[in-house]
Amino acid sequence: DLILLLVDSDILFSASLWGPYKDIWQTVGNALWRRQPEAVHLLDMILKKHKPDFISLFRNPPKNVQQHEKVQKASTEGVAIQGQQGTRLLPEQLIKEAFILSDLFDIGELAAVELLLAGEHQQPHFPGLTRGLVAVLLYWDGKRCIANSLKALIQSRRGKTWTLELSPELVSMTTRFTDELMEQGLTYKVLTLVSQIDVNNEFEKLQRERGLGSEKHRKEVSDLIKECRQSLAESLFAWACQSPLGKDDTLLLIGHLERVSVEANGSLDAVNLALLMALLYCFDISFIEQSTEERDDMIHQLPLLTERQYIATVHSRLQDSQPWKLPGLQATVRLAWALALRGISQLPDVTALAEFTEADEAMAELAVADNVFLFLTEAVVVSENFYQEEFYIRRIHNLITDFLDEYEVSVVIGELYKKNPFNLELALEYWCPSEPLQTSTILGSYLGVAHQRPPQRQVVLSKFVRQMGDLLPPTIYIPYLKMLQGLANGPQCAHYCFSLLKVNGSSHVENIQGAGGSPVSWEHFFHSLMLYHEHLRKDLPSADSVQYRHLPSRGITQKEQDGLIAFLQLTSTIITWSENARLALCEHPQWTPVVVILGLLQCSIPPVLKAELLKTLAAFGKSPEIAASLWQSLEYTQILQTVRVPSQRQAIGIEVELNEIESRCEEYPLTRAFCHLISTLVESSFPSNLGAGLRPPGFDPYLQFLRDSVFLRFRTRAYRRAAEKWEVAEVVLEVFYKLLRDYEPQLEDFVDQFVELQGEEIIAYKPPGFSLMYHLLNESPMLELALSLLEEGVKQLDTYAPFPGKKHLEKAVQHCLALLNLTLQKENLFMDLLRESQLALIVSPLEQLLQGINPRTKKADNVVNIARYLYHGNTNPELAFESAKILCCISCNSNIQIKLVGDFTHDQSISQRLMAGFVECLDSEDMEEFVRLEEGSELEKKLAGIRHETRIHILNLLITSLERNPPNLALYLLGFELKKPVSTTNLQDPGVLGCPRTCLHAILNILEKGTEGRTGPVAVRESPQLAELCYQVIYQLCACSDTSGPTMRYLRTSQDFLFSQLQHLPFSNKEYEISMLNQMSWLMKTASIELRVTSLNRQRSHTQRLLHLLLDDMPVKPYSDGEGGLEDENRSVSGFLHFDTATKVRRKILSILDSIDFSQEIPEPLQLDFFDRAQIEQVIANCEHKNLRGQTVCNVKLLHRVLVAEVNALQGMAAIGQRPLLMEEISTILQYVVGRNKLLQCLHAKRHALESWRQLVEIILTACPQDLIQAEDRQLIIRDILQDVHDKILDDEAAQELMPVVAGAVFTLTAHLSQAVRTEQKQPLVLGPGEAHYAFMLDSSFTSPPPAENPVVGFASIGDSSLHIILKKLLDFILKTGGGFQRVRTHLYGSLLYYLQIAQRPDEPDTLEAAKKTMWERLTAPEDVFSKLQRENIAIIESYGAALMEVVCRDACDGHEIGRMLALALLDRIVSVDKQQQWLLYLSNSGYLKVLVDSLVEDDRTLQSLLTPQPPLLKALYTYESKMAFLTRVAKIQQGALELLRSGVIVRLAQCQVYDMRPEMDPQGMFGMRDPPVFIPTPVDRYRQILLPALRLCQVILTSSMAQHLQAAGQVLQFLISHSDTIQAILRCQDVSAGSLQELALLTGIISKAALPGELTDISLYRSIRNTGS
């Protein structure tokens, strides 16, 4: 199907013959298929506007002399183009092309110009086509859109056959609109167009004017033309299904069908089939049997029942003996008419029509005389479209069943029910069940529901089937079997058919056939098979007679053979569908079908019959229990010779048949059937020790035959039927695929296993998967053939022409690609195990082998051939999917990336096609035509899924490639420079400056759809995983230094990408929460980069626009539907302080936070009966691995294998009995693990989203220019965010895993809040004369602004109460962390320190003199805001009591270094403002102060190591400094000094030896070092950092301890004496650096304080110090 072209939002280039029609189709799709409520109104408007287009249907604007002249002069004078302002000059070439186009399609000259301009605009979507060729596509695409819209509108009508379940007003609107079209002669127009438009004629016209391009273009044009005809015909069909055509229209339709002929293969083409069905539905009265309430209305609308004139005219027209071009078609219509008449005759009050209703039998006889059923078989049922339309099948089903019901026919039945595409099982009506079945298999909302039919008819039909069997003349034996085969399609039908054949054979049934039972019975059939076997076995020559194969098959005549084949096919059908039938037949003691069939296979019978026997065996092999014994039987009967007997000169078995009989006949039914059998058996049950005791056990002989005789030679054999070549390839590759799919490399595969055979040790065969891996990891013939098949496949597909066996070739290619994929997935494990083993095998990674030279082209183009399948993503989604998967897999290797870029780009035309292929696959969603979800078959859903997965693989390929160094594949696919530096790329819109449409354009296109509306990007809701990866690619491009510049420039200028995406945040999609969170994460990270970059580049308007969007709490204009929006000038960020709460909206940055759910459901713990829970947890842990996103998850498949292996290893009867229970428990474990994986992924996604949100908030606060957000707004924003983020994390349900991220955010926010408030406090407003007052803005709790002359005493713009709330939440958060999470608390302690800083006066003077105030003034001054806030803060902190103290004190003494330092800093701050000294009391009473003091001795050892020239980490030094600073702070309080003396702090300092390790002074000191170290201080400086805090502490203690001064002085002197060497060195130091003078000053101060007169009793002590000093 042609890619659904994008209608650009600018209508500049939407030619009148294309753009508007595209819009109509889009709107019809949105309203009818996508069920978008808002599209209904739009549809109404569009239908009113474009009604003339539907009425004139396909009519073009006529040529016109004035237009011709205008266009002629357009190169000089210019011409006005619809939708564009002014006139436009056109180049001469375009004018020429316009005239050609105008003649070609007979359209107006201006319309032709518009089409060409639109073609030029759309050219990037069609690489390799000129604008003229694109214009041809657009012309027909416009027609297709109108035809499809017409069909969809008619399908949605109210009527008698189906309902689309749309709203009543929408159905009324479409019914009314289409009624008006019908009144204007729609039927005539459609039939005329269908007759006139002919692909061949159109192609001839186009060919003459060179209007056809590449093969792909030809195919697209012909597909469009065919779809136009088809949709027109189906419009009439849909109409007739819902409400029959009137008299004149019916006659027109009959007139059209009179002239119809068949295709070359004898079937009706799709268009005529639709028209025939339309006529048959006009004659359909089956809905009368329904008892629906609308039935009566419908009867009145039916001309058949109400208009005598209608019946008379149609009847005479059909009775007319004038033969039609197709007598069979005439017969079909006559039969339908006869049945309609018969149906009418059975209604009440129709006596008036008696003359017609009694003519039904004559009409039916005419039909039968003209072989109506032969025509139905050969022309209708085999038509390729027949099985694609459920209502065709239903109608023909009704036609035949009505005929059988009314008149007392069989070939057509078999054909009709052969396929069952909609699971309708309509054939059920032929079986009158003896036991009722409780299922209804009717799909969708089809009104004629089967089980409401009167059972009378069912009785008649089943009687027909049975009596036919009883009175069977030999001539129709085979047709009857074929009919049964058709009727046995479906699980229930097969069951009934099996019972019929069983009952027929039972001897007590009295029937005419005599004692042998009916010829159509299991008994008869298997009895015959046994007789043939007996008879042929006697004819078997001895094994070594050479002429064995040329024996005449005396046993079986051609007729018998046909009969046998028909019965074998019937058997296969029944046992394929019904497992019960399979087991019942197999286990039947007399019949033993498997044994008999295997016996017959050893006899000399034609290959065709053998093939059917093998197919029947394959059907039996679907049951694992039968398959296991079948393997042994196969081995025993040597159908493929696996054991050579020495005495046997001649080979036997299938290999001989293939090489000598089938090759000579050039037909290979037997080989195909054998491969099919192996394929089935391999799937059902796989024997490990096949053939043990007779040969080395294993599957290898079978694999060798399939590989060497079938696969490797399939190309060189001759084929009478060309398609068979690909059938052979498909079926053998399918076996390889299944074998490799189920193979997991195990350690034991890499060790030779020895087995004993006839007394000698031989090596057993390896598993087939091992052998396949080995062949695919070497340059083997098998790999070479697979790659050559891929090359041939893509060449064939590039022709776009149908050829025999195309479907099979595609399947074969799919299996080849899948084999490569499986090899890539398993090769790492395989090669690792091989390395560890002793096997002498050499293998190479497949990705390297794929880089090898292709022997046919002499180029390394294997990967290019694989990538070319992406170009066929529309027609062959499975191949594109496998191809994308392979490319994604091999792109992880950097060296291969560089080589691939070279291979992909060295040939311009191939490079262009590859790019187009990738882009087409990414665009593919556009062509998923609106499939009705209920009616969309499984296949359509599967294909949509495959297309989606292909896009996922391509995006993953881009993501992995972007992580590699340039040049890489992603840069090529996203349109970056490869020859010049990447950063010089200039990205453009497609088509600008010759820029092709790249994957970047496709990705932006996916994300952009829906951003204009309210609902936001469509992809986010409809394909969340896809959207997530798209956002990730964009983020990676913006984050990588090379690509960042070009990408961000392009997104900002051409796309306005970020603004249009961010305005839809937060996304909401509960069902896909993980994807939704990741989408937002990548988007927020990209926004952070954009804000940072625009701020650095001073692009203020860009930054400001994004900040408004994220931070405003006023409604933004675009969303206020026009009238109610605030004017722009009000929308500056100062809008925050408007108090009219009604207009406020939640800030976007906060609503994004709201959308992250902090709670997390945890799966229930495992309850196990058999397995041991601890061991299971261990196994789960062993199966964990890192996934693509770097999360640790459990590999569920691996776990499943491990557990199943465990169960299989159990021995004994008990284990077998409990196996089902064990398997059930395994599934419980797996469900638990899946839940656990989801939990881990969900937490990871929440954490990711929160990290990105935090990053965005931090960038807004730190990197954006400060003046873009006014000061008071800044505070309010931070306040709001802080309060919200705390509320979310303090919720009881909140997941603890999110605490670290939140704590980090809280830290940044508090730091900025502190900074903002303090900045504001430093800006005094002059209010009174000469006096500086602080401007105290209103507290947020007031609702009206206070009068200016009386300022309210509040604090900062956000008010005290807000600050208190923040403090309380911070403290709650600290307590919530409990015992663990020390690192989280580290952030919170930092936040608390910043918070407490707010209450410090910014201008606190150090001394009274500096304050220029007397002591009295200081003491009597009123309490200012700072003191008030400080007092309230400490009251709040103390209200938390011991719980908080305990946490902070414990962190100060123990744990992580940074945590200890911050806890000490916090204690320092609290103790300094704690007037009540509660904290000090707690510290001393609970012993924490003592612990801190005692820890100084431990610090001593660490500190000593810091004085070596090359010290280890300096952490210990900083912790020591924090501890001493805190102790010094405690010592400043008199009570604190006493507590410290009591806990012996100075005694501890005296014990420390580090103070004695004073390094030698460097005599060159300052001058000797060339370049002093930047960060690590010199040993002397380090020593001072250790000593000075100790001296300061001594000094402070001496100052504070008034009462205990004597004790303090004594201890200090003791300290000085114990470190006397150091003291002397300081006092005698000659150095005059700042450091040494500091030491001296402190030391002399201490000595003088310790030596207060009268308190020095111990003179000797003093003397020693004095001596030292002198």
Side-chain angles (χ1 to χ4, degrees), residues 620-635 681 684-687 690:
F620 276 114
K622 280 185 73 159
S623 295
E625 47 273 57
I626 302 177
S629 65
L630 251 178
W631 275 118
Q632 302 305 333
S633 315
L634 271 184
E635 187 63 34
L681 293 179
S684 296
S685 120
F686 197 80
L690 189 60

Side-chain angles (χ1 to χ4, degrees), residues 1508-1529:
T1508 54
Q1510 287 298 319
L1513 294 173
L1514 295 177
K1515 281 197 269 191
L1517 177 59
Y1518 301 135
T1519 323
Y1520 164 79
E1521 283 187 307
S1522 301
K1523 199 177 293 179
M1524 295 302 279
F1526 171 61
L1527 293 175
T1528 309
R1529 164 71 68 198

Side-chain angles (χ1 to χ4, degrees), residues 682-968:
V682 156
E683 204 157 12
S684 296
S685 120
F686 197 80
S688 47
N689 56 350
L690 189 60
L694 298 169
R695 60 179 179 82
F699 182 79
D700 225 47
Y702 294 87
L703 183 64
Q704 270 175 0
F705 167 69
L706 293 175
R707 187 181 59 230
D708 301 343
S709 302
V710 182
F711 181 57
L712 291 180
R713 295 175 59 185
F714 94 92
R715 275 180 124 166
T716 51
R717 299 190 191 279
Y719 295 90
R720 180 170 299 173
R721 201 164 49 82
E724 194 170 22
K725 173 180 178 180
W726 300 118
E727 289 168 21
V728 171
E730 177 197 351
V731 72
V732 68
L733 280 163
E734 182 181 25
V735 180
F736 296 157
Y737 165 69
K738 286 179 180 174
L739 290 170
L740 194 55
R741 180 192 64 194
D742 300 336
Y743 172 64
E744 286 301 329
Q746 309 271 344
L747 194 55
E748 56 265 27
D749 301 346
F750 295 83
V751 181
D752 284 334
Q753 310 282 346
F754 288 93
V755 289
E756 197 170 300
L757 184 65
Q758 293 150 8
E760 51 182 313
E761 290 270 296
I762 52 163
I763 297 178
Y765 289 126
K766 301 270 181 238
F770 178 95
S771 174
L772 286 169
M773 284 294 287
Y774 176 64
H775 278 267
L776 289 169
L777 293 176
N778 271 300
E779 289 183 355
S780 62
M782 180 175 177
L783 179 67
E784 198 177 299
L785 180 55
L787 293 174
S788 141
L789 188 64
L790 291 179
E791 183 185 14
E792 185 170 350
V794 80
K795 274 188 185 152
Q796 291 276 24
L797 290 182
D798 281 346
T799 63
Y800 289 94
F803 56 88
K806 185 172 183 200
K807 281 266 175 296
H808 301 287
L809 167 68
E810 287 165 3
K811 268 311 226 191
V813 165
Q814 189 186 338
H815 290 316
C816 273
L817 290 168
L819 280 172
L820 297 182
N821 252 319
L822 289 168
T823 311
L824 286 166
Q825 284 164 30
K826 298 174 198 263
E827 68 176 8
N828 288 340
L829 177 58
F830 187 87
M831 290 164 78
D832 291 346
L833 290 170
L834 184 59
R835 262 184 229 110
E836 294 161 16
S837 74
Q838 307 298 313
L839 285 185
L841 295 178
I842 295 175
V843 295
S844 314
L846 182 60
E847 54 268 33
Q848 279 177 22
L849 296 172
L850 291 176
Q851 301 292 308
I853 299 294
N854 175 347
R856 287 164 303 288
T857 58
K858 305 289 181 282
K859 286 189 209 142
D861 58 5
N862 292 321
V863 182
V864 171
N865 286 336
I866 290 172
R868 278 166 64 189
Y869 282 102
L870 290 171
Y871 193 56
H872 298 278
N874 286 350
T875 42
N876 295 87
E878 290 103 335
L879 304 184
F881 164 71
E882 294 288 353
S883 163
K885 209 163 153 191
I886 292 175
L887 293 170
C888 187
C889 208
I890 60 179
S891 65
C892 302
N893 186 321
S894 292
N895 305 336
I896 287 180
Q897 283 266 352
I898 295 169
K899 205 164 169 321
L900 284 184
V901 173
D903 293 346
F904 278 29
T905 53
H906 82 109
D907 176 337
Q908 183 61 43
S909 68
I910 284 191
S911 167
Q912 197 181 23
R913 292 191 72 154
L914 290 176
M915 173 75 89
F918 279 97
V919 173
E920 199 170 286
C921 286
L922 282 178
D923 280 339
S924 69
E925 184 213 19
D926 303 325
M927 354 112 21
E928 281 173 27
E929 290 282 297
F930 324 113
V931 179
R932 259 180 72 192
L933 287 180
E934 316 90 275
E935 207 180 63
S937 62
E938 286 305 309
L939 178 69
E940 283 164 331
K941 287 179 192 158
K942 186 178 157 209
L943 290 184
I946 286 174
R947 287 201 181 99
H948 173 71
E949 283 300 318
T950 309
R951 301 161 88 192
I952 300 284
H953 283 308
I954 292 176
L955 291 169
N956 277 323
L957 164 73
L958 294 174
I959 288 166
T960 41
S961 301
L962 281 173
E963 289 159 0
R964 309 275 168 267
N965 294 332
N968 59 47

Side-chain angles (χ1 to χ4, degrees), residues 53-163:
D53 289 311
F54 282 101
I55 289 176
S56 63
L57 206 59
F58 281 29
R59 188 178 302 147
N60 293 323
K63 291 184 181 183
N64 172 318
V65 182
Q66 288 109 334
Q67 279 191 16
H68 192 284
E69 285 171 6
K70 265 190 201 164
V71 173
Q72 192 87 55
K73 297 178 190 158
S75 60
T76 51
E77 296 176 11
V79 65
I81 304 290
Q82 184 189 350
Q84 297 182 26
Q85 292 165 353
T87 56
R88 173 169 175 174
L89 290 174
L90 301 178
E92 281 292 341
Q93 183 57 37
L94 192 133
I95 294 172
K96 268 190 208 156
E97 289 172 27
F99 289 143
I100 293 175
L101 204 59
S102 165
D103 293 342
L104 184 62
F105 292 133
D106 198 16
I107 54 178
E109 288 77 0
L110 273 177
V113 170
E114 286 172 5
L115 262 182
L116 279 170
L117 291 174
E120 197 165 67
H121 189 64
Q122 289 292 338
Q123 231 174 326
H125 289 276
F126 300 94
L129 296 187
T130 62
R131 66 185 166 211
L133 295 176
V134 178
V136 171
L137 281 173
L138 297 187
Y139 173 80
W140 281 110
D141 189 47
K143 299 270 179 270
R144 173 190 83 120
C145 287
I146 275 286
N148 282 346
S149 305
L150 177 66
K151 172 173 124 184
L153 290 168
I154 291 177
Q155 281 175 335
S156 69
R157 287 170 57 81
R158 194 173 284 115
K160 65 187 171 75
T161 308
W162 62 62
T163 157

